[in-house]
Amino acid sequence: MGRYDFRPLRVRQTAKALFDAKRVPHLPQWYAVVGDIPPGETLARPVQRAPRPRGTKKASRIFQPLPIQYPEDKLRSDFFGDHPWELARPRLIVENSGNDSRGQDWSKIVQPGKQLDGESVVQRQMWLMRHQAMSKPAAYDLARREFYQHRHLEDIRRRVAKEEALHVGAYFGKGPLAIGMELEDRSWEKWKIWAAKQVEQEQNMRAQMFTGPQDNDGDELTEPELDAAVEEVQGSVPDSKAGQLAMGGAAVHP
Amino acid sequence: MIIRSLAARTCRALPRGSSLQPLRRFLSTDIDSIESSADNSFKQLGSLEAQLNAQVPQQVPSASSETQASSPAAQTSESVAEQYHLYKQQQQQLGHLGTEISQHYQPHTLLNNPPSAADVTLELLLASEAHQGHATSLWNPANARYIHGIRQGVHIISLEVTAAHLRRAAKVVQEVSKQGGMVLFVGTRDGQDRAVVRAAELARGYHLFERWIPGSITNGQQILGKCRMKVVNEKDEEIVGFEEQLDERSVLRPDLVVCLNPPENYVLLHECALNNIPTIGVIDTNADPTWVTYPIPANDDSIRCIQVIAGVLGRAGELGQKQRFDAAAKGVITYRPAKDLTMPEQDTSKDKAPKAKVDLSRTFMKDGGLEDADELEGKLDEANNREGSGRRIKVVA
């Protein structure tokens, strides 16, 4: 609990002590090996920062590792800030030998064996700034334009390849848009069936609500009753300047 | 270029008579008119037809009659030779065309042909992502001296330190193997099994990739008591006849434990510490380096890194075993023979007995099935379940 266990580091001393105390009949086979190749010192902290002069605030971060920074970092953040969707492209990050960047020549933006991506722009910009003494924005513009040009060429290449393939009989199936449209159509049809059912249910429920004993007098009138009512209303409508003609309104708008 | 390389690749498979014609057409700089090319293709069709027609009646009698079996064989061999010569000629003419595939990472090579300690370079470690630590908030400050810096919120392990510690650990494995010690390779994380098994295979050691049964060292008599133990001579040949003597012997323990994922195997490392067994461990930035005797600061989450480390240690063990066998061939025994064993009196092995008595060296946890990449724990369970059967199995690693 909060204590360090140094037994693994002291196997040799322990073995010797056990042997000296005659707890074990002989030293272990690895005794000489561990003596010849001793384990390194542990729990040692190298000082990473210069300590502050005395009297000031406590130097609390002396032993913490320092951040690693490269001049490309700013360029990289600028580029990806301007082109955030470049980060969404799939990227190959497996190194072959660990020396993959050794053979790259950034006097051109296209490198054999490396895909063209934002990193190419950054490295090309660095090269232009270093070797051609270009300012940062000028180098950025140049590298960026080359990048756009090659992306455009890639698009053309892809399109032509597709056309060629289609010409010689390839077929690619449905595209993502067609598949999406199909799914949408299917859901739409499903929804239509569901909605029709809902409407029917609603109507049934409404019909059920009004079933039961109810008098038809209020709703429908027999013909003599209607005539009587119309006559009764017609008389009551004032045919004067203030009023208006009923025009059979009582019958038409009951 | 695509067409050219296609021609270069398929030229072997083209029929003999008209093999060069399509190639010439592909490679010719002057362009035939459409009519002539159509004519050409018609001619090819005609020649193919003629070939087919010519071959069919020849082959039918040869297949039916057994007496003429020699002549078709001669024909085929001749045609094979001709085809081969044609292929070589074409290869000479066209082989330099097309693209060349440069050296690239092939994941299986780390298992098939693992690097030795001399092959460890910082580039190799970098490519296998040995430098990637954990997020800075997860660090164990005891690892401060192995850390190179912070990059995007992640601790970067110093690869020089990794290489130095890896070489040191490899030396330890080599020396222990040379002295006939038992080396146990443990990696219980997903994907580490093949690397662990391969390392154990190279070092003639033992492997564990499923789970350490707690108490296998501290309570070994109960857990491993039914496993088989055998006596071998300095050439690792088994000497029979010691079964009764081995029954009373205590269970064997490893002389060195290599753990590829210490955070998940605290129990194992603690048992090793209690029993005074040196350990080697891959220490990521979140692991505690005091759990192991020889830490190797590296990324234990990368399978490629684990394969490199396990391969290096396995190669070191292989070298140590080779040195041991070389010494044995000269009659030098590099280890202390096992005590308390008397040579069994047997009529059949009377001639071998004195020699074996001299050579009788050590007991060794070894079982035939285990060398075929069987794992320890399955065997253990099997042995535990076989309590009722008459066969006694003493110790297996």
Side-chain angles (χ1 to χ4, degrees), chain B residues 120 124-126 128-134 143 145-147 155-166 189 192 259-263 280-289 292 294-310 313:
Chain B
V120 172
L124 175 68
L125 292 172
L126 176 80
S128 55
E129 298 190 19
H131 61 289
Q132 305 263 23
H134 279 270
N143 292 319
R145 65 188 320 222
Y146 309 137
I147 292 173
H155 276 130
I156 302 297
I157 298 167
S158 177
L159 291 178
E160 292 112 348
V161 179
T162 302
H165 281 74
L166 181 57
R189 236 178 237 180
Q192 293 182 345
C259 183
L260 300 177
N261 54 339
I280 294 172
V282 177
I283 297 295
D284 211 334
T285 57
N286 64 342
D288 190 343
V292 294
Y294 294 97
I296 303 171
N299 179 14
D300 61 357
D301 301 294
S302 159
I303 300 292
R304 190 174 170 186
C305 175
I306 287 298
Q307 283 177 351
V308 168
I309 289 172
L313 298 182

Side-chain angles (χ1 to χ4, degrees), chain B residues 58-114:
Chain B
Q58 279 179 359
Q59 286 176 353
V60 168
S62 70
S64 61
S65 67
E66 292 171 0
T67 53
Q68 292 178 344
S70 61
S71 64
Q75 269 187 0
T76 50
S77 67
E78 187 188 4
S79 70
V80 165
E82 269 183 35
Q83 280 182 355
Y84 178 73
H85 284 301
L86 192 67
Y87 163 64
K88 293 306 272 186
Q89 189 187 351
Q90 285 170 349
Q91 199 181 28
Q92 201 180 352
Q93 285 171 350
L94 308 171
H96 60 281
L97 299 176
T99 55
E100 275 182 21
I101 297 174
S102 56
Q103 281 287 324
H104 60 285
Y105 168 56
Q106 292 169 304
H108 65 275
T109 51
L110 282 178
L111 289 170
N112 291 352
N113 186 23

Side-chain angles (χ1 to χ4, degrees), chain B residues 113-389:
Chain B
N113 186 23
S116 61
D119 300 331
V120 172
T121 56
L122 300 194
E123 288 91 352
L124 175 68
L125 292 172
L126 176 80
S128 55
E129 298 190 19
H131 61 289
Q132 305 263 23
H134 279 270
T136 51
S137 55
L138 300 175
W139 83 317
N140 189 332
N143 292 319
R145 65 188 320 222
Y146 309 137
I147 292 173
H148 175 56
I150 300 171
R151 183 80 182 152
Q152 292 178 341
V154 167
H155 276 130
I156 302 297
I157 298 167
S158 177
L159 291 178
E160 292 112 348
V161 179
T162 302
H165 281 74
L166 181 57
R167 289 200 193 106
R168 179 187 294 177
K171 193 73 183 160
V172 171
V173 173
Q174 182 196 331
E175 292 297 324
V176 170
S177 302
K178 187 181 169 186
Q179 308 220 344
M182 277 182 43
V183 185
L184 173 64
F185 290 88
V186 181
T188 53
R189 236 178 237 180
D190 283 350
Q192 293 182 345
D193 42 3
R194 293 181 65 195
V196 167
V197 171
R198 179 70 179 140
E201 192 185 342
L202 284 173
R204 299 173 74 91
Y206 301 88
H207 57 78
L208 172 75
F209 55 77
E210 278 205 329
R211 177 177 163 262
W212 173 259
I213 295 180
S216 292
I217 292 177
T218 50
N219 193 19
Q221 206 63 40
Q222 295 296 318
I223 292 174
L224 300 170
K226 289 194 168 53
C227 295
R228 195 172 83 97
M229 195 192 296
K230 70 181 184 185
V231 176
V232 295
N233 62 7
E234 84 277 11
K235 289 169 187 160
D236 274 9
E237 293 154 350
E238 185 177 358
I239 305 172
V240 293
F242 286 96
E243 283 73 21
E244 295 83 23
Q245 297 176 49
L246 291 178
D247 277 349
E248 297 96 44
R249 275 185 93 84
S250 65
V251 170
L252 296 180
R253 288 172 183 164
D255 289 315
L256 179 68
V257 173
V258 177
C259 183
L260 300 177
N261 54 339
E264 283 90 14
N265 282 314
Y266 175 70
V267 179
L268 161 69
L269 297 173
H270 187 66
E271 284 181 36
C272 290
L274 288 177
N275 282 278
N276 211 28
I277 295 168
T279 48
I280 294 172
V282 177
I283 297 295
D284 211 334
T285 57
N286 64 342
D288 190 343
T290 59
W291 288 1
V292 294
T293 313
Y294 294 97
I296 303 171
N299 179 14
D300 61 357
D301 301 294
S302 159
I303 300 292
R304 190 174 170 186
C305 175
I306 287 298
Q307 283 177 351
V308 168
I309 289 172
V312 167
L313 298 182
R315 279 274 186 234
E318 188 189 25
L319 183 61
Q321 296 285 358
K322 188 173 170 296
Q323 288 172 340
R324 181 167 71 85
F325 285 126
D326 287 350
K330 288 176 195 159
V332 181
I333 296 179
T334 54
Y335 47 84
R336 186 175 49 239
K339 287 177 181 169
D340 309 332
L341 285 177
T342 53
M343 203 59 198
E345 304 297 332
Q346 281 182 358
D347 301 339
T348 54
S349 64
K350 200 176 278 179
D351 52 344
K352 275 199 290 185
K355 188 184 167 197
K357 187 138 192 167
V358 177
D359 297 340
L360 175 63
S361 48
R362 62 212 175 95
T363 51
F364 214 88
M365 301 206 300
K366 184 163 278 191
D367 190 55
L370 282 167
E371 291 188 344
D372 306 335
D374 264 6
E375 87 257 29
L376 161 67
E377 302 305 338
K379 280 271 171 188
L380 293 186
D381 293 343
E382 199 183 307
N384 286 339
N385 295 337
R386 211 195 293 144
E387 282 173 320
S389 70

